[in-house]
Amino acid sequence: MEKKTSKLIHRAGDFLINGIATCLIIPIRCLSSKSLIPISKFFGTTLFCLIKKYRRRVIQNLTLAFGTEKDSEMIANLAREVFNNLVQTPLESVYAYLHRPERFLLNIKIEGEHYLKEALKLKKGVIALGMHLGPFTLVGARLSLEGYRFNLMYNEGNYPKLWKRLGEYQRRLGQNPFPVKPITASLKKSFNSLRRNEILYLIADEQQRRGGVPIPFFGQTAFTPTGPAILSLKTGAPILPMFILRENNLPKRLVIGPPITIERTTDFKKDIETLTANFNGVIEDIIRQYPGQWAWLNRRWKTPRK
């Protein structure tokens, strides 16, 4: 019964967010990027008030991470900001597609591009470490404008309608998105993109239900995906964190961080765990700096099924 209720909630959420994006296509053509801010706040507040399950989960996650640092009022305010950002991200993807790049995407300044250029000189491709922070769906769109070949592996999860829409926009903006399932096909595409010395964007901030490594995350054990570490160790492709930050509620900076490295040993399994712990630490550091811009919806600390 609980699983059926959860599926219905996910379907409703998928339908609602995708519906919002559909209904706003015509108005968005006529709006400025700043107009997305009040629209996102309105719908974000609506979702925050109506969907009790998600509101409770976000507040619980924030409390678990910051309970000793922030009071209940601060956490509630952060939760509202989280919902606003959740709505704004798909709207910005729609906006980026409907308007000329110079009107929106080129306003996002790239910081740390020298790390990317140096990594590509190795001719082994680059693994972009992604996370559900800010307008993460625009990372590839912005880099594609600079001539970089950008591949995106995504997990549509409980939001197939939304991801199908976003995938269409991403392709039209010069990216190559592909789903994580079936696994065999996605792995083949991943290895091929790195062999072509392209960027492979992997989101690694969610709970890994099977095969994840138990690593501390905000002081609690979280089962973390090892995909970026395994691909990096097998191919030699460096891992670089890449994320976009909002300032004054607008996407302003695409930050590319330095390579995340380890001292290789003869123990491949141990190297996977060490590299995974290293990039997980980078993700936590970034989220700590910008907690209101991370999703906080994933049940990050839930014990996975065996």
Side-chain angles (χ1 to χ4, degrees):
M1 185 67 181
E2 183 179 351
K3 288 185 178 180
K4 289 184 178 180
T5 302
S6 181
K7 286 183 178 180
L8 288 174
I9 292 175
H10 289 145
R11 288 178 183 175
D14 186 28
F15 179 82
L16 182 58
I17 295 176
N18 187 61
I20 291 172
T22 301
C23 294
L24 291 175
I25 285 180
I26 295 178
I28 284 176
R29 290 182 184 274
C30 307
L31 296 174
S32 67
S33 57
K34 291 184 178 179
S35 301
L36 298 180
I37 299 172
I39 293 174
S40 299
K41 286 184 176 180
F42 171 79
F43 285 109
T45 300
T46 301
L47 292 175
F48 178 83
C49 295
L50 291 181
I51 307 182
K52 182 180 178 181
K53 177 180 178 179
Y54 287 167
R55 179 178 72 246
R56 183 190 304 154
R57 182 182 299 174
V58 169
I59 291 175
Q60 286 176 342
N61 285 342
L62 284 166
T63 301
L64 188 60
F66 298 109
T68 60
E69 305 171 29
K70 304 179 187 298
D71 59 31
S72 58
E73 183 178 353
M74 295 172 67
I75 287 176
N77 289 335
L78 271 178
R80 291 185 177 90
E81 184 180 347
V82 168
F83 274 83
N84 294 345
N85 276 280
L86 284 170
V87 173
Q88 190 168 340
T89 294
L91 292 184
E92 285 170 336
S93 293
V94 176
Y95 188 92
Y97 167 67
L98 294 176
H99 292 77
R100 292 176 298 175
E102 61 269 21
R103 291 190 59 186
F104 186 55
L105 290 176
L106 290 182
N107 290 323
I108 303 174
K109 305 303 179 184
I110 301 177
E111 298 179 4
E113 188 176 3
H114 62 284
Y115 292 122
L116 176 57
K117 291 181 177 179
E118 288 298 317
L120 289 172
K121 287 180 182 179
L122 299 175
K123 302 297 182 180
K124 295 183 178 180
V126 168
I127 297 172
L129 180 67
M131 62 199 81
H132 294 87
L133 184 97
F136 67 96
T137 54
L138 298 180
V139 172
R142 180 64 185 89
L143 289 175
S144 295
L145 289 178
E146 303 299 320
Y148 294 105
R149 298 280 295 175
F150 194 91
N151 303 270
L152 164 66
M153 184 193 294
Y154 66 90
N155 182 9
E156 65 181 20
N158 299 306
Y159 305 97
K161 292 182 182 297
L162 178 61
W163 271 109
K164 181 179 179 181
R165 176 184 293 277
L166 292 178
E168 292 172 355
Y169 294 148
Q170 287 162 341
R171 276 185 286 272
R172 294 172 188 176
L173 290 169
Q175 302 169 72
N176 176 37
F178 57 89
V180 69
K181 293 181 179 180
I183 296 295
T184 302
S186 64
L187 283 176
K188 182 178 180 180
K189 291 178 181 178
S190 297
F191 280 114
N192 286 340
S193 66
L194 295 175
R195 291 191 187 101
R196 295 191 299 266
N197 198 35
E198 298 173 354
I199 300 171
L200 174 64
Y201 184 73
L202 301 177
I203 294 176
D205 60 351
E206 292 186 317
Q207 179 219 33
Q208 182 71 45
R209 293 189 175 186
R210 292 185 177 89
V213 176
I215 293 173
F217 186 67
F218 286 91
Q220 308 290 328
T221 299
F223 285 79
T224 304
T226 58
I230 293 174
L231 283 173
S232 177
L233 293 170
K234 282 185 173 292
T235 65
I239 301 175
L240 275 62
M242 298 185 192
F243 53 94
I244 294 179
L245 296 173
R246 291 193 178 101
E247 295 177 356
N248 297 320
N249 296 307
L250 289 173
K252 288 294 185 180
R253 293 190 291 143
L254 194 168
V255 181
I256 302 174
I260 301 170
T261 60
I262 62 167
E263 288 290 334
R264 294 287 298 265
T265 71
T266 56
D267 189 336
F268 186 68
K269 182 179 179 181
K270 184 64 177 178
D271 286 348
I272 291 174
E273 294 176 356
T274 303
L275 187 52
T276 301
N278 284 5
F279 76 63
N280 188 63
V282 171
I283 290 174
E284 179 179 333
D285 288 342
I286 295 167
I287 294 171
R288 282 188 179 277
Q289 295 178 60
Y290 310 97
Q293 297 193 39
W294 195 53
W296 292 103
L297 270 174
N298 187 245
R299 302 177 74 174
R300 193 69 181 85
W301 296 280
K302 182 182 179 182
T303 302
R305 293 176 298 189
K306 297 182 180 180

